[in-house]
Every structure is written in C-alpha cells, then in structure tokens.
Amino acid sequence: MSIDIDNELNEAQREAVLATEGPVLVIAGAGSGKTRTIVYRLAHLVEQGVDPAQILLLTFTRKAAQEMLSRAETILGRPLTGTSGGTFHSFAYATLRRNAADIGFDNGFTLMDRADSENICKEVKDALKLGKGDRSFPKKATLLDMITKSRNKELTIDAVMEREAYHLSPYLDAVTEIADGYARFKREHALVDYDDLLFLLDKLLAENEPLRNQLQARYRYIMVDEYQDTNLVQARIVKHLAGTKGNVMAVGDDAQSIYAFRGANVANILEFPKIFEGAKVIRLEQNYRSVQPILDLTNQILAGATTKFDKNLYSDLKSDVLPEVVHPLSDQTQARLVVDAVLEFQRKYMLHDIAVLFRAGYQSFPLEVALTRIGIDYQKFGGIRFHEAAHIKDVLSYLRLTLNPHDLLAWQRAMDHIKGVGPKTVTKIYQAIHTNDEKYLVKMTKKHDTLRELLNELNALRAMPPKPSAVLERILAFYQPILMEKYPDDYPKRQAGLEQLSQIAVSYSDMDQFLGDLSLDGDPDEEKRKENAVVLSTVHSAKGLEWSAVIIIDLVEDRFPSRRAMQRAEDLEEERRLMYVACTRAKQCLKLFVPSSVYNRASGMSDPTLPSPFVLELPGDVFQRVNESYGGGLERKQMQKTPGATPSPRHDYGDETASTSAASPKVDPSKLGFCKHKIFGKGKIIAQPEPNKFKVNFPGFGIKTIIGDYLELL
C-alpha cells in the first residue's frame, strides 16, 4: 500500500514527514495535526526501506505511543514489528535491565512504585527519629514530593521549598536529611524509583561510550513527542542517543510548556537548534480545531511572550462570532453569569461539549454550588470537588451542629482533630451530651482542653443569629489553628478554598438553604467521562482536550496569573502559556470572565481587581466586550481598533480600567525617567507615543506600552 502524503497532509506536515535526515524540530501549534504528522513520518520511514527496529519513538504516555504505532500500521497495511515505542521511563528501564552490572547492580535491581517510595521515606524518617510527636511534620507523600521535585528540577531541597512550600521551611534540615537517607536506603537494598531510571540511564550513556555508540547505531531514527514537556535529564538522554547530528525529530510547542512544577524545562525546546547542529525548524501553523476569531485572540496572547518560536495560527474554519470578554461586577455574580452562559450554550451543544476552565481547583467552588442548585450535572477534573475537600467538610460539620446537635457524623468530624479522642470516645461524648451526663463531660473536658474549647465554641455559635456569613466568620477564626495543625503540608492552598466558602455564604440569609445547597451533590464518577455533564477543569488537566464552547473564569491578577507567578519573570511567562492552552481548547465559542471585584473576607467588602495582564494586552478588534450592568443585565460593547494603530497592552481598556487603580500617581509626561509597575517591576520610560501612554523597558520583560495610571515615578 502506497502512502498518499500529497493529499493527506498540508505543506508543512509534508515537509516534516519528508525531512528524515539530520536533526529536525517541529513546532506544532495547538490543534495543528501533530500526531498525524508523527504517524505519517513513521509510515514513510518504513515505506522508504528503514528497518522498523531502527526507529525509536519516545512519548509521555504508553497510550500515546501505542496509538501512533497502531495508526502507522493501518496506513502502511502491515505491522511495524521491532519498532521501539514507549515512554522515557519504559525505555530507560529496559536499557538498564540489560546493563544492570554497569550501574552497580550485579544481581539486578527492583523498581519501586509510588507507594513503596512513600513508605521508605517514612521508614527513613522514623529511623532518624525525626518528627516524632510533631503532628505538623510533613507527611510521607509530601516528603517524597519534595525529593522528586528536587531531582526532576535538579535544584536543592532548599530552592524547591523556597519557591513552592515556604511554610515548610522550618523542616528544611530534616527533609534534606531524609532525602539523603532515602537515597542511601535505595542503594543498600538495590531499589530504584522512577526518577532513578532517568538519572541512571543518563549516567550510563555519559560514561559508557561503547554502549552509547551501540545504541546510536541501532536507533538511527529517533522521534520525541511533546518535547516541551521534557526535563533536563530527558533532554540529555535524547542528546546521548542521537549525538549532535543524528536523525532526531523533536515535536512539540514551546507555547504549551506548562509543567514546570513537574520539572519540565521550556529551554529544552527553545534551545534545540543550538544543541543540535544544523537543525531544521518546521512550523505547523494550520489549526484544524478552532474557528479563526478564536485563533486571532490566541495569536495576540502569544505575541506578548518574551522568548518563543514565532508562529501564527490560522484556520479554514470561519465564524462571524468574536470571543467575548465578560466583566461581571464581582466574583459573586460571576457564578450566576457563567451558569447563564452554560444554559445558553446548552441550546446548541451537549453539556459534555461545554467546559469551564480555571487556574486553581478552588476557583470553581461557587460555580459548583450554583450548578447544583439548579440541577445541572457537572464533572470536575483537577483539584478536588468542593463537597469532597476535607477542610470544607470540617468547617461544615460545625455549621451542621449549630442546626442539629443530634448529627453524630458531624460530631465525629468536629472532634477529629482532638488527640486521644477516637470514634468510640466520640460516641460516648455524644451520648453524654444527649443524656445530660455532666459527670462524664466534666471528666473528659478536664482531660482534653481542646474538647472544652470545641464545646464552648459550639455553644457560642448556637447562641448567634443564624446568618450564614456571620456564623461562618466565627467558625473560620476558630478553625484556623486546627487547619494549620491538621493539614500542615498544604494549609495555604486549603485556605483559598475556605475564602471561597466564605464568599458563597455572603449571598445566603438562611442557614438551612445554605447547608442544603452545599450538601446536594451528584454521585462523583471521576474515572470515565460523563455524558451530558458540563466539564469543570483546571487548565493543566484540560491540556490535549477540546470542547465546542469554553468559558475561562477569574481572569484577574492574583488568580490568573496566580499570585506566586507574579514574582518571577519565567513564572509569568508560563502563566501566559497556560492562558494560551486554555483558549486553544475552544472550537466554536470562547468567553473570558473578568470580575471587576472580589470578595474580601477580612473587610466583608468587595475589593476592586486589576484584569489579568493577558486580557489587558488584547487589541479591541479580537473580542467583544460585555459588561454586567448594576441592574444585573449584560451590555455588549464592540471595541473598535483605531485605524493604523498598533495593538498594545492596556490599549483598549482606557479610563474604565484606570478607574480601578485611581490611587496610583500619574506619570509626569515631561520626565522620562525610571518608574515602577505592579507586575513588571522597575523600568525605564523611553517614549510617550500618546497622552497618558508610555513605552517602558522592563528588564526581563522587554518594552511594554502602559497607561500612565499604572505607573509610579521613582
């Protein structure tokens, strides 16, 4: 069977398939037929007489490799017997097994799974007598996370902790000691974990020249999928196997590199042409997923990236409908407007073809409650469903007890943090409360101070007027130290979820209704995709998927981009890529929600927000602006591009945006000196192209055009 490359592939895909000799980098924009290109190249190589055993296909999931090989076999009409296709880890495991003696394992080694590794961390911790009696000491899963992140990012435990888990810094020395002990334990017992597979293979290939030459001779054609997701050690393995001039094709999209938290390093794909001499760079820019107006918007998001491969996505799929940027008055009204948008889309699409995306799992909590209230089924991916989060259940147990002191399950949950009070003791306390057994209660409260505090708090709560927001405010103050002690590993993240619960409570006046809406929930079925249930997903979990209609919420500073990302230029760049990934999931319709204020639990008021910089940069001709009116309706406002004007950051938001930052001093146009910006930091004003608009050179970010209201003179 002859492969019909001319009719089955577009020009760029054909070029990639036919470029079989030397290093090749394929920059595959979102929805551009990346898998199709790899499959046809596999088939083409074999049709040209290449022995399938000389082909190595490296992917990030076994399923992806199997699918590609299967599709190539279908095109060829015969099996690809002998082709090595699989993950980096499976390839490393097979190679190391054959050469175990060369890496110091004369009698072989045993590969551990995640549970094994966690248990060894605990064993080492106990042997070192660390954390004994300290309930705040990091749990075994957190210890392993810190160790594996340190290895994959090739950073010290100290550096990882500083960036990602600063609240654990008091335990730095202990965690470092456990990491050293964990490594020792593995060596002594001939054990290998998943990270070891890569690092041992890297070391073996670097030091064993005969083996390296042998593998280079065997695998004459190497293909690597999702190259933007490789970490440093994976990139080194590819270089060992291919040499600097080998027939290696890396396929990926620098603009979709969003897994730095796992160790992925975008520099691997950006520097591929430097690492591999004479590398040919081919761009796949024709998108087969999205209508052109969506791509016009995503191209503008990428335009602001500081380091990238230039690409311009285009599509033959036309539409007269622009993406919408919706400005709710607050994050409290956002949930209602998103539900309205889902109902609107439901007239045209099945619910499972509609997705609401967000930066962090807690951001969907108000929406989950709103959807449940009107009976719309949903399925959540990434983060924990609101009703399943342990800390939310803890707080709700106190609320439940203010209404129903006979709720035994709530008593068990409320006393869960009291050391020495197990389920049997809870039942005895419960019986004593309901039989007025004061003697037993006095005995137990003398023995357990925390029990006395809990019972006093519940009495005080029951005496309060049953206004959900006020009662919850008091509960959260009481619960804060419990939260920190009970969930020491990740309480800052859980705190954000409690803030959302507090925000939800504000819109309720009836405690029964509040608890009822929170407790009504369908049966979670996370394993398989539900038919006719709207998808709620973090952007990370949405990568590689697509829906006809996509809604992205909370596009304001500190939420998307996240607060942590605002501190380092490379983190902000990754947030931009995350925004690009989110928008390119949409096929037909895209709505971006930018709440004008967010509820502040401390003040009980809503604070004004700054729109996400990725929204502020959009020129007005790529979206339709929709504002929520004070009457609750929506007002559509078509932004028009000024003829001949170059799109620039904040160009189309004018005074409406500036009003949210009225306290910022305006820049004196006669002075083009140094200034400061909330996101980009210190910069040098180099020009004033328009009144109250300035070009500023920010180190690490480049030249940005900013409205004067957002700049402070230094």
Side-chain angles (χ1 to χ4, degrees):
M1 184 187 293
S2 180
I3 303 172
D4 188 1
I5 290 175
D6 290 336
N7 292 318
E8 294 293 331
L9 303 171
N10 64 36
E11 189 178 337
Q13 290 170 336
R14 271 197 305 277
E15 185 183 1
V17 166
L18 297 174
T20 57
E21 304 304 309
V24 180
L25 175 62
V26 178
I27 299 298
S32 63
K34 166 181 72 74
T35 301
R36 185 179 187 81
T37 304
I38 294 172
V39 165
Y40 269 86
R41 189 171 191 264
L42 276 168
H44 173 68
L45 283 169
V46 175
E47 191 184 49
Q48 294 302 303
V50 173
D51 181 349
Q54 293 192 312
I55 301 172
L56 173 62
L57 172 64
L58 294 171
T59 62
F60 276 82
T61 65
R62 187 170 56 185
K63 183 181 174 185
Q66 289 170 341
E67 181 195 339
M68 290 175 188
L69 293 172
S70 174
R71 283 173 58 179
E73 288 176 343
T74 302
I75 294 167
L76 274 170
R78 56 193 163 103
L80 281 174
T81 309
T83 300
S84 297
T87 64
F88 276 90
H89 291 92
S90 63
F91 174 77
Y93 180 67
T95 306
L96 293 172
R97 294 293 292 181
R98 290 193 299 269
N99 300 275
D102 292 340
I103 52 172
F105 296 112
D106 293 337
N107 299 312
F109 59 84
T110 300
L111 178 63
M112 303 184 295
D113 62 15
R114 168 88 194 191
D116 294 330
S117 296
E118 286 185 8
N119 289 335
I120 290 173
C121 283
K122 183 179 185 308
E123 204 168 312
V124 169
K125 181 197 82 161
D126 293 345
L128 291 169
K129 294 184 170 52
L130 293 169
K132 199 170 183 180
D134 182 354
R135 296 181 71 181
S136 296
F137 197 86
K139 296 178 178 62
K140 59 184 181 180
T142 302
L143 291 170
L144 184 62
D145 282 344
M146 298 301 293
I147 293 167
T148 196
K149 280 185 179 182
S150 165
R151 298 196 70 200
N152 279 291
K153 295 187 174 192
E154 300 187 29
L155 294 170
T156 61
I157 297 276
D158 189 2
V160 172
M161 200 174 274
E162 186 181 341
R163 289 186 189 186
E164 300 185 30
Y166 191 72
H167 60 288
L168 296 178
S169 54
Y171 298 108
L172 171 62
D173 291 342
V175 175
T176 304
E177 201 176 336
I178 290 167
D180 293 339
Y182 173 71
R184 256 192 327 272
F185 188 100
K186 287 186 298 177
R187 277 196 306 273
E188 290 166 4
H189 296 86
L191 296 171
V192 167
D193 64 20
Y194 274 72
D195 299 332
D196 293 327
L197 291 176
L198 300 180
F199 285 98
L200 287 171
L201 179 61
D202 175 37
K203 187 171 186 291
L204 179 65
L205 294 175
E207 296 175 357
N208 191 327
E209 189 178 356
L211 176 64
R212 188 170 68 245
N213 292 339
Q214 178 193 330
L215 291 175
Q216 286 180 1
R218 178 179 174 185
Y219 297 117
R220 285 182 51 226
Y221 295 91
I222 299 169
M223 282 187 271
V224 189
D225 186 25
E226 302 283 17
Y227 200 75
Q228 78 280 352
D229 293 338
T230 54
N231 60 18
L232 292 169
V233 69
Q234 286 166 328
R236 290 197 298 272
I237 288 168
V238 171
K239 188 176 177 185
H240 290 317
L241 293 171
T244 54
K245 296 181 180 177
N247 300 327
V248 56
M249 172 182 275
V251 184
D253 183 2
D254 56 298
Q256 294 187 68
S257 180
I258 60 171
Y259 294 118
F261 66 94
R262 290 184 194 162
N265 194 317
V266 70
N268 290 344
I269 192 167
L270 291 171
E271 295 175 7
F272 186 94
K274 293 180 189 172
I275 296 166
F276 293 93
E277 299 168 21
K280 184 173 192 175
V281 180
I282 300 168
R283 291 169 172 79
L284 304 186
E285 296 175 298
Q286 183 170 358
N287 177 288
Y288 294 92
R289 174 189 299 150
S290 308
V291 294
Q292 189 59 47
I294 290 174
L295 299 181
D296 290 340
L297 183 144
T298 56
N299 285 334
Q300 289 297 331
I301 292 168
L302 285 190
T306 54
T307 322
K308 64 188 178 205
F309 284 103
D310 287 324
K311 70 177 79 66
N312 190 62
L313 299 182
Y314 66 92
S315 173
D316 289 338
L317 304 170
K318 306 303 178 190
S319 172
D320 296 329
V321 181
L322 288 176
E324 288 184 352
V325 176
V326 184
H327 288 259
L329 292 172
S330 71
D331 56 344
Q332 292 164 272
T333 60
Q334 175 180 246
R336 176 179 60 79
L337 294 178
V338 170
V339 170
D340 290 346
V342 168
L343 293 172
E344 175 196 331
F345 286 141
Q346 193 184 11
R347 296 191 195 121
K348 193 173 179 183
Y349 310 113
M350 296 290 284
L351 276 175
H352 57 256
D353 204 17
I354 303 167
V356 182
L357 306 182
F358 32 87
R359 177 64 183 82
Y362 75 84
Q363 288 170 289
S364 69
F365 288 173
L367 180 59
E368 291 176 50
V369 175
L371 289 170
T372 301
R373 192 184 305 155
I374 64 168
I376 293 181
D377 198 11
Y378 68 86
Q379 187 172 22
K380 185 171 180 181
F381 298 92
I384 298 173
R385 287 162 70 99
F386 186 52
H387 317 270
E388 296 166 357
H391 52 295
I392 300 293
K393 286 181 175 179
D394 291 347
V395 168
L396 292 184
S397 70
Y398 302 125
L399 276 175
R400 284 162 57 176
L401 290 172
T402 63
L403 289 183
N404 178 13
H406 297 283
D407 187 339
L408 177 58
L409 291 177
W411 278 111
Q412 289 172 339
R413 188 100 209 173
M415 294 191 210
D416 185 53
H417 70 286
I418 302 175
K419 198 172 182 182
V421 176
K424 288 181 182 176
T425 309
V426 171
T427 303
K428 288 179 184 175
I429 295 169
Y430 173 84
Q431 288 169 343
I433 289 170
H434 290 89
T435 58
N436 291 320
D437 186 348
E438 288 190 20
K439 187 178 177 184
Y440 180 77
L441 288 174
V442 168
K443 173 187 159 188
M444 294 305 291
T445 51
K446 277 185 178 177
K447 187 177 179 182
H448 301 285
D449 287 344
T450 44
L451 175 62
R452 185 179 66 253
E453 290 166 8
L454 172 65
L455 295 178
N456 289 341
E457 183 65 20
L458 288 170
N459 286 333
L461 290 170
R462 276 196 285 270
M464 290 177 68
K467 186 184 176 189
S469 58
V471 174
L472 185 63
E473 186 64 33
R474 174 156 185 158
I475 289 172
L476 291 179
F478 174 76
Y479 182 68
Q480 183 65 29
I482 299 171
L483 174 78
M484 295 173 70
E485 184 184 352
K486 196 172 177 183
Y487 307 103
D489 299 26
D490 61 354
Y491 70 82
K493 190 192 292 183
R494 292 176 188 267
Q495 185 67 48
L498 293 175
E499 294 289 341
Q500 288 291 67
L501 180 64
S502 181
Q503 179 217 309
I504 293 166
V506 172
S507 58
Y508 285 83
S509 56
D510 182 86
M511 186 72 82
D512 274 319
Q513 183 69 47
F514 177 57
L515 275 171
D517 284 353
L518 291 175
S519 303
L520 286 169
D521 190 22
D523 180 33
D525 181 8
E526 300 299 326
E527 294 305 311
K528 58 182 181 181
R529 295 195 172 275
K530 286 183 181 177
E531 287 292 308
N532 221 23
V534 65
V535 174
L536 309 183
S537 177
T538 60
V539 183
H540 283 102
S541 296
K543 186 173 179 288
L545 304 175
E546 58 183 43
W547 296 271
S548 289
V550 169
I551 297 164
I552 308 171
I553 62 171
D554 275 351
L555 284 165
V556 294
E557 284 187 14
D558 291 350
R559 293 193 175 185
F560 199 159
S562 68
R563 183 172 302 167
R564 188 189 298 160
M566 311 282 275
Q567 296 162 12
R568 297 169 70 238
E570 58 263 47
D571 291 344
L572 192 61
E573 283 294 284
E574 177 150 325
E575 294 286 305
R576 179 186 298 282
R577 298 192 292 269
L578 203 58
M579 178 72 172
Y580 164 79
V581 167
C583 293
T584 52
R585 301 309 96 200
K587 295 193 284 187
Q588 301 286 331
C589 302
L590 177 64
K591 288 181 187 276
L592 311 179
F593 276 75
V594 186
S596 299
S597 63
V598 296
Y599 179 70
N600 182 332
R601 185 170 68 85
S603 66
M605 309 273 289
S606 284
D607 293 338
T609 61
L610 285 174
S612 166
F614 313 133
V615 174
L616 288 174
E617 290 174 0
L618 295 173
D621 59 343
V622 300
F623 67 89
Q624 182 175 52
R625 178 165 177 152
V626 182
N627 294 338
E628 181 187 7
S629 67
Y630 288 103
L634 293 176
E635 300 170 347
R636 280 174 164 71
K637 179 182 176 186
Q638 176 66 58
M639 306 296 290
Q640 294 297 329
K641 187 177 177 183
T642 308
T646 303
S648 61
R650 311 184 188 267
H651 177 78
D652 298 297
Y653 279 77
D655 293 334
E656 290 182 67
T657 301
S659 66
T660 66
S661 186
S664 303
K666 290 189 177 182
V667 176
D668 182 349
S670 64
K671 298 178 180 177
L672 299 183
F674 287 97
C675 64
K676 187 178 178 184
H677 183 265
K678 185 175 178 181
I679 301 172
F680 304 116
K682 185 178 176 183
K684 174 79 166 65
I685 303 172
I686 57 174
Q688 183 187 2
E690 296 176 38
N692 200 30
K693 198 170 286 184
F694 300 86
K695 282 190 179 293
V696 184
N697 188 5
F698 295 99
F701 292 93
I703 296 171
K704 304 282 182 186
T705 304
I706 309 284
I707 289 175
D709 301 73
Y710 287 87
L711 298 174
E712 180 183 348
L713 271 183
L714 296 176

